[in-house]
Amino acid sequence: MADTLNIIAPLEQEGSKSVVRAWLKKVGDRVRRDEPLLELETDKVAVEVPAPADGVLAEIALNEGDEAAPGAVLGVLSTSQSGPPAPPPASAAPAGDGAGGPDLRQRLSPLVKRLLSEHKLAPGEIAGTGCDGRITHKDVEAFLGARAHGPTRIPHGAMRKSIAEHMARSVRTAPHVTAVFEANFSAIAAHRAMHKAAYEKAGAPLTYSSYIVRAAAVAMASSPNVNARWHEDFLEVFTDVNIGIGVALGEKGLIVPVIQRAQILTLRETATELGDFTERARGNQLKPSDVRGGTFTISNHGVSGSLLAAPIIINQPQSAILGVGKLEKRVVVRTIGGADTMVIKPMAYVSLTIDHRVLDGHQTNLWLTRFVETLEAWPLEDEA
């Protein structure tokens, strides 16, 4: 009897549920310890499950699309010295499977290979959206739908379905109320123009989001319950301000990496973390710990062109979410030398959507007032 090890789904899971997105190896493949075997996906992050030891993949217990509960057996690894021989190196494999060659074929799951064979498709015809550009069965199905006549039917991915469930649950749970202010970005635009090159040189891309995160952390002191969580018998107010900021992933949805303890970070430290998170999020390289522990969320929806979005759905179990609209030059009235004068300023609408069980209008407006004042009076005293 060969010695075997079960391949187990991670016990800690970030998201409402986890499903098998793709197997990176097939039964009979020889693998090394810590080599990725398969990908799991939740509504928040994709995770690679590594081999627990050297051996041969002996069995696949859960296939693509199957739900993988924490601790579930995903497959079986044979760790005995006997077993099927290792597959030939890529250079010895046949080269006739379309653009991409044998290396691309070896990274396809059994389900994807079967779909390609059934529909007489070559891998090079399809753009992969999986880890490192791998083709998933959803990519094949989307390609077939687009090629067919009539409306395209694109199956929901695990991330999209989980996002939908989370949004619907939030609306059912919390009474949403939105307050809207207007912010003048002149001060931070001038500061950014002066310091952008130096920050870039230091590996800290200085985006407007960096200032927004920093100002949000400062504003918490004026209305601490914005950084809180509702329980049936009490309100849990957090000391640390852990700010999540949404990063769009195209048609797949978005992911919300979390900047931990934002209240103690400088603008440069904030910019560095934001740049790192954004790059890794779009490369599907975030870890579960990167999206865990948020106490407040920012939706910078203006980057895609919207002036105002309301209500922005609260990221449960948080109590509020900040929305920042498109930055554009507008004519505003200012009192200059005792007279009202029309001037052109870079302006944006900023909104705070609250859980009305936790916060009232007075607290909401206090927070927004402090947030706007911080942006408009930049730089901060300790970052001049």
Side-chain angles (χ1 to χ4, degrees):
M1 178 71 67
D3 295 328
T4 59
L5 279 176
N6 286 337
I7 303 161
I8 302 297
L11 295 177
E12 290 192 6
Q13 169 181 300
E14 187 65 25
S16 55
K17 69 176 182 179
S18 176
V19 299
V20 177
R21 182 164 80 170
W23 276 91
L24 310 179
K25 301 292 181 181
K26 62 181 182 295
V27 172
D29 281 353
R30 193 177 295 279
V31 298
R32 306 282 300 176
R33 179 183 177 88
D34 295 329
E35 184 178 1
L37 292 175
L38 72 156
E39 294 173 347
L40 299 180
E41 182 178 63
T42 73
D43 58 323
K44 294 186 175 182
V45 70
V47 179
E48 289 185 339
V49 177
D54 294 349
V56 173
L57 183 60
E59 178 185 342
I60 290 176
L62 296 181
N63 295 308
E64 288 187 8
D66 289 346
E67 185 172 347
V73 176
L74 305 170
V76 178
L77 188 71
S78 171
T79 58
S80 66
Q81 296 302 311
S82 60
S91 59
D97 283 311
D103 180 65
L104 183 59
R105 289 286 299 175
Q106 288 175 356
R107 297 189 303 178
L108 301 179
S109 70
L111 175 57
V112 170
K113 289 180 180 179
R114 178 171 61 79
L115 287 172
L116 293 175
S117 176
E118 288 176 356
H119 296 280
K120 297 180 173 57
L121 297 173
E125 297 182 68
I126 302 171
T129 62
C131 184
D132 297 327
R134 295 186 183 99
I135 299 170
T136 69
H137 72 283
K138 295 291 192 300
D139 297 326
V140 180
E141 291 165 353
F143 179 86
L144 292 170
R147 195 175 66 172
H149 297 292
T152 300
R153 299 180 64 179
I154 302 175
H156 297 309
M159 180 177 287
R160 174 53 60 190
K161 288 194 287 188
S162 294
I163 289 173
E165 293 168 3
H166 184 70
M167 294 296 100
R169 184 170 64 253
S170 180
V171 172
R172 291 194 303 267
T173 300
H176 285 56
V177 175
T178 301
V180 181
F181 278 40
E182 197 172 25
N184 180 355
F185 277 61
S186 295
I188 62 174
H191 185 274
R192 181 171 180 262
M194 185 179 301
H195 297 281
K196 182 179 178 182
Y199 274 55
E200 288 277 3
K201 190 175 181 180
L206 189 54
T207 62
Y208 284 109
S209 294
S210 306
Y211 294 92
I212 291 165
V213 169
R214 188 78 183 88
V218 170
M220 291 302 176
S222 65
S223 189
N225 288 2
V226 172
N227 194 50
R229 176 178 180 178
W230 171 269
H231 296 269
E232 287 305 316
D233 299 322
F234 62 93
L235 185 66
E236 182 181 10
V237 182
F238 300 103
T239 301
D240 286 334
V241 182
N242 300 333
I243 298 181
I245 185 161
V247 177
L249 301 177
E251 295 300 321
K252 292 178 65 178
L254 82 162
I255 198 164
V256 186
V258 177
I259 298 175
Q260 303 290 335
R261 305 190 71 196
Q263 78 277 8
I264 67 169
L265 300 181
T266 65
L267 180 64
R268 178 167 295 188
E269 290 167 339
T270 302
T272 300
E273 289 210 20
L274 266 178
D276 173 61
F277 275 147
T278 301
E279 183 178 351
R280 289 196 289 121
R282 291 174 178 162
N284 198 31
Q285 295 176 331
L286 289 176
K287 304 172 185 175
S289 58
D290 294 330
V291 295
R292 187 177 296 147
T295 60
F296 181 75
T297 298
I298 296 172
S299 172
N300 194 0
H301 57 84
V303 297
S304 57
S306 63
L307 294 175
L308 178 67
I312 303 174
I313 307 303
I314 296 168
N315 187 7
Q316 291 293 329
Q318 297 168 19
S319 296
I321 185 168
L322 172 68
V324 181
K326 179 182 178 181
L327 179 62
E328 63 176 5
K329 292 181 179 179
R330 292 201 283 267
V331 176
V332 296
V333 177
R334 294 290 183 264
T335 302
I336 301 175
D340 289 343
T341 305
M342 290 187 294
V343 294
I344 298 174
K345 298 290 183 181
M347 306 293 292
Y349 295 111
V350 295
S351 64
L352 192 68
T353 297
I354 61 163
D355 181 341
H356 212 347
R357 299 173 303 171
V358 178
L359 296 158
D360 298 320
H362 176 68
Q363 297 162 297
T364 305
N365 291 340
L366 272 178
W367 192 96
L368 279 170
T369 297
R370 182 73 173 105
F371 174 72
V372 170
E373 287 175 348
T374 302
L375 292 177
E376 295 184 344
W378 207 275
L380 302 178
E381 290 182 4
D382 57 348
E383 294 185 289

